Every structure is written in C-alpha cells, then in structure tokens.
C-alpha cells in the first residue's frame, strides 16, 4: 500500500505541475495573443492615394494593366511604335492596327479609365515601351463623373510632362475630348478642358500636337450625327473609326516621314476636318 500510495502521489504532483505550467503559460502568453488577435482583426491601412487623384475617387483597372504586362512577356509591342492610350473610346477601336498600317500602331487603352488612372499607369504601360508617338484620348469619363475642366486639363498635361521628361524624343498627340450627345449638358466643360490643353500644346509645339475630331461628329447644321453612335450615345460604331482614321492617320504619317528623314517640325498645329453631311 505504501508503494502504491507513493506512486499515486508522484503522479498527482506531475499532473499538478503540468497544469500549473499550462496556466502560467497561458497567463504569460495572453498579452501576446491579444495583440496578435487585434492586429489580425484591424483593417489593413491603405496607402494614401497620389495627389492627382480627385477627392472621393480611387484607382481602378489594375487587372487590365497586369494583363498587358503579362502579354508583353510573350508578345511585346514594336520598338519605336505608335502607342494609342486612353479610355474606352480608343479601347473599342478594334481595327486600329489595320487602319493605321503600315504605321506600327498598338493599343493600350483600358477600361473606362479616367485621366488620373492613365497618369497613374504611365510608368508601366508607356515609359517602358519608349514609343515614337503617343496618341492620347481620355477625359470623357471625367466629364461624366462631374470633374471640372481645370482638373481634367491639369492631369492630361501632367501625363504629357511625365512622358516628355522620360522620353524627350517621343511626340505626343492629344485627341480632343469628344462632344458626344450623352454629355450634352456638360459640353461647356468639354470645351474648356480642350481649350486649356490647346493652350498648353501651343507652348510645346516641337513635341505636342492636338487633333480635333469633333467636327466629324456633327452635320452641316450642327446636329450630332446619331448614326456614328452606339445606343448609349457615347461610344462609336465601327464605321465611325473609319472616319477617325481619315483624320488621325495622315497627321501621324506626316510626322513619321519627318521623323524618318531626321527632321523635326518647326511647329505642330491643330488638325481638324470639316463637318459631314
């Protein structure tokens, strides 16, 4: 009995020691566990948005940009090419390469992008390509999003400044924001933004040119040509891009010829074409 009693006593002491150690361990670890739980439960702090993003807005389309970068690994764009960039007005230009041929044109327009997003991604899908020309269309979605003309123009100019700073030999072509019927109530904003960019371009004639397609969009009595538009009165049917090509391509071809023979123009001017019947 004494032997059994001593054995049970030793077992009891070991169990008590283990239990005490466990309790003490929990007490010692409790603050650390609580801190870890609080960290896990707390929302991840978001990096502040760049100053060029308007208040209350965000930056979207990261997945589309990544898709461009993934595709570039296997099918990179041509060196010294003609880069078209901007919002869905260009993104939906399905026959761009064919209609700009033989110019080495390619398209990096994305989503329903706003001017701050095109500016945000410039170091990913513009600068690394070192294009000979950049043809830019963006701003429609800013207008529809109630952004003011000064801010729209300022972000467009910041994009051009960034490209010129990094690629001083690249020529830049600004295609005016279009006065589509869906934004009729804000055509004054469209006009003001375009005018501001034109003033900017006038001081940088050696590398910035403006191209105004708005005359194509109206008939001889000033009415929008409804046949050019999709049902949303914003985006365009394929035939509209044939007319856009008739304006843009000759401008690019003249600039390309000057570039090829090693000459730079003394000045670049606004190019328009008259209204259509």
């Amino acid at each position: 009995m004494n032997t059994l009693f001593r054995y049970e006593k030793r077992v009891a002491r070991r169990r008590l020691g283990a239990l005490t150690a466990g309790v003490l361990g929990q007490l010692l670890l409790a603050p650390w566990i609580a801190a870890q739980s609080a960290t896990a439960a707390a929302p991840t702090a978001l990096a502040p948005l760049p100053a060029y993003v308007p208040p209350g807005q965000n930056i979207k389309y990261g997945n589309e940009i990544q898709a461009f970068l993934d595709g570039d690994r296997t099918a990179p764009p041509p060196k010294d090419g003609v880069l078209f960039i901007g919002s869905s007005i260009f993104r939906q230009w399905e026959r761009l390469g064919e209609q700009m041929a033989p110019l080495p044109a390619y398209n990096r327009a994305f989503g329903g992008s706003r001017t701050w997003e095109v500016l945000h991604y410039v170091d990913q899908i513009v600068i690394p390509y070192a294009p000979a020309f950049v043809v830019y269309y963006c701003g429609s979605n800013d207008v529809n999003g109630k952004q003011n003309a000064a801010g729209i123009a300022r972000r467009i100019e910041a994009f051009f400044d960034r490209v010129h700073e990094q690629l001083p030999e690249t020529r830049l072509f600004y295609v005016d924001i279009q006065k589509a019927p869906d934004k009729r109530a804000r055509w004054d904003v469209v006009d003001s933004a375009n005018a501001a960019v034109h003033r900017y371009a006038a001081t940088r004639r050696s590398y910035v040119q403006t191209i105004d397609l708005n005359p194509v969009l109206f008939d001889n009595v000033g009415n929008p040509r409804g046949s050019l538009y999709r049902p949303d009165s914003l985006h365009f049917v394929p035939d509209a891009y044939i007319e856009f090509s008739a304006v843009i391509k000759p401008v690019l071809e003249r600039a390309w010829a000057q570039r090829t023979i090693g000459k730079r123009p003394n000045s670049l001017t606004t190019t328009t074409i008259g209204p259509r019947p």
Side-chain angles (χ1 to χ4, degrees):
M1 290 292 294
N2 289 339
T3 301
L4 180 60
F5 176 77
R6 286 194 298 273
Y7 171 76
E8 291 177 343
K9 190 175 180 180
R10 287 196 300 272
V11 171
R13 281 199 301 269
R14 284 197 295 270
R15 288 176 176 171
L16 178 61
L19 178 62
T20 301
V23 171
L24 289 174
Q26 290 295 321
L27 291 173
L28 292 172
L29 289 174
W32 182 86
I33 294 171
Q36 294 300 308
S37 298
T39 300
T44 303
L46 298 176
L49 291 171
Y52 51 73
V53 179
Q57 300 297 329
N58 57 11
I59 295 174
K60 302 195 296 185
Y61 307 112
N63 289 340
E64 293 191 31
I65 301 306
Q66 188 59 52
F68 286 144
L69 299 178
D70 291 343
D72 290 343
R73 295 189 184 97
T74 55
K79 295 290 186 182
D80 291 327
V82 179
L83 167 63
F84 281 67
I85 192 167
S87 61
S88 56
I89 300 300
F90 272 3
R91 178 177 57 81
Q92 294 183 10
W93 197 333
E94 296 177 353
R95 296 172 57 197
L96 173 68
E98 173 189 342
Q99 290 171 337
M100 289 294 120
L103 294 170
Y106 59 103
N107 201 336
R108 286 297 182 270
F110 58 94
S113 56
R114 288 78 57 95
T115 53
W116 59 88
E117 286 156 334
V118 178
L119 175 58
H120 182 73
Y121 294 118
V122 65
D123 289 331
Q124 293 176 262
I125 60 167
V126 178
I127 304 302
Y129 302 147
F133 297 167
V134 174
V135 186
Y136 178 104
Y137 181 87
C138 195
S140 290
N141 296 311
D142 296 52
V143 174
N144 287 351
K146 304 298 188 289
Q147 298 298 315
N148 62 61
I152 295 170
R154 187 164 56 248
R155 291 184 291 272
I156 293 168
E157 294 162 12
F159 173 90
F160 287 162
D161 287 345
R162 174 65 180 167
V163 175
H164 184 64
E165 173 191 343
Q166 296 297 309
L167 304 170
E169 297 302 313
T170 295
R171 297 188 192 176
L172 305 167
F173 298 84
Y174 171 72
V175 178
D176 282 27
I177 302 171
Q178 294 171 357
K179 297 171 73 170
D182 87 312
K183 58 175 64 63
R184 186 189 295 268
R186 289 178 61 78
W187 280 357
D188 60 328
V189 176
V190 173
D191 288 338
S192 294
N194 285 334
V197 179
H198 281 232
R199 290 192 296 271
Y200 164 90
T203 66
R204 296 157 176 82
R205 292 181 181 273
S206 64
Y207 62 91
V208 180
Q209 181 166 358
T210 61
I211 304 175
D212 186 6
L213 295 176
N214 278 299
V216 173
L217 305 180
F218 294 87
D219 63 22
N220 286 327
V221 294
N223 295 319
R225 297 173 62 199
S227 61
L228 296 180
Y229 292 93
R230 297 183 186 274
D232 62 6
S233 295
L234 170 63
H235 296 99
F236 296 97
V237 298
D239 283 351
Y241 290 101
I242 297 174
E243 300 203 33
F244 296 167
S245 298
V247 180
I248 295 175
K249 185 175 180 180
V251 176
L252 300 182
E253 287 180 326
R254 286 193 294 271
W256 191 268
Q258 291 168 335
R259 174 181 181 272
T260 301
I261 62 177
K263 294 180 180 179
R264 297 184 65 87
N266 294 326
S267 66
L268 297 171
T269 59
T270 298
T271 301
T272 64
I273 136 175
R276 293 290 188 261

